[in-house]
Amino acid sequence: LRTAILKACLTRNHQMEVPMALDCDRRDPAYRLGRLFALLEKAQRDATNPTATIRDRYFGAASATPAAVFPQLLRLGQHHISKAESGRYLDRLIAEVVDGIDGLPKHLSLEDQGIFTLGYYQQRNALYRKSEKE
């Protein structure tokens, strides 16, 4: 539902064509950072059973000012990846996503924050669909 709402807003207000499913080939930084955030959250959930996830603490800041937040999240992510059962798999996915990011933007516009959120939810849904199949 959230993805559909974001898609509708981006299509109507910004004339953007937005797919409903995860687009692994999409190269824009905001989308990739959203995907990266979802992967880091998954690593945290797999490594620990947190009462508050990185989404609860960092989502707003990560979507608005990625350069200020992602270095810390990536450090935490390495710790979680080393403890998670799916650590190698997530590490490979994170490397693929990061490979398409050329530096961390200091700020994301409101439109890019929507794209960040879209990437987050699409990556998150893809991860949960994969885990449900297993």
Side-chain angles (χ1 to χ4, degrees), residues 21-38:
L22 180 66
D23 183 358
C24 294
D25 296 326
R26 190 164 177 174
R27 305 301 279 175
D28 59 65
Y31 188 79
R32 292 224 165 223
L33 289 169
R35 289 184 58 203
L36 177 59
F37 194 87

Side-chain angles (χ1 to χ4, degrees), residues 2 6 9-11 19 29-30 32 36 51 58 60-61 80-81 86 96 101 106-107 113-114 120 124 132:
R2 290 179 181 137
L6 285 167
C9 288
L10 291 170
T11 301
R32 292 224 165 223
L36 177 59
T51 55
Y58 296 102
H80 295 137
I81 287 167
S86 60
E96 289 173 12
I101 300 172
K106 289 184 180 187
H107 301 281
Q113 289 177 43
Y120 167 78
R124 185 174 165 209
E132 286 176 356

Side-chain angles (χ1 to χ4, degrees), residues 11 14 25 38 40 44-45 72-73 81 88 100 103 118 133-134:
T11 301
H14 301 286
D25 296 326
L40 292 170
Q44 180 191 32
R45 286 182 188 272
Q72 182 178 3
L73 293 178
I81 287 167
R88 274 197 240 168
L118 186 70
K133 289 179 183 178
E134 294 174 349

Side-chain angles (χ1 to χ4, degrees), residues 51-118:
T51 55
T53 66
I54 64 169
R55 182 178 73 175
D56 300 325
R57 295 183 182 182
Y58 296 102
F59 190 87
S63 66
T65 56
V69 177
F70 271 95
Q72 182 178 3
L73 293 178
L74 289 166
R75 272 194 309 275
L76 286 170
Q78 290 306 306
H79 172 71
H80 295 137
I81 287 167
S82 68
K83 293 184 180 275
E85 285 183 31
S86 60
R88 274 197 240 168
Y89 170 72
L90 289 172
D91 194 37
R92 192 168 12 103
L93 284 178
I94 288 169
E96 289 173 12
V97 171
V98 169
D99 188 43
I101 300 172
D102 186 26
L104 295 171
K106 289 184 180 187
H107 301 281
L108 293 178
S109 68
L110 196 55
E111 178 183 339
D112 284 338
Q113 289 177 43
I115 294 169
F116 175 98
T117 305
L118 186 70

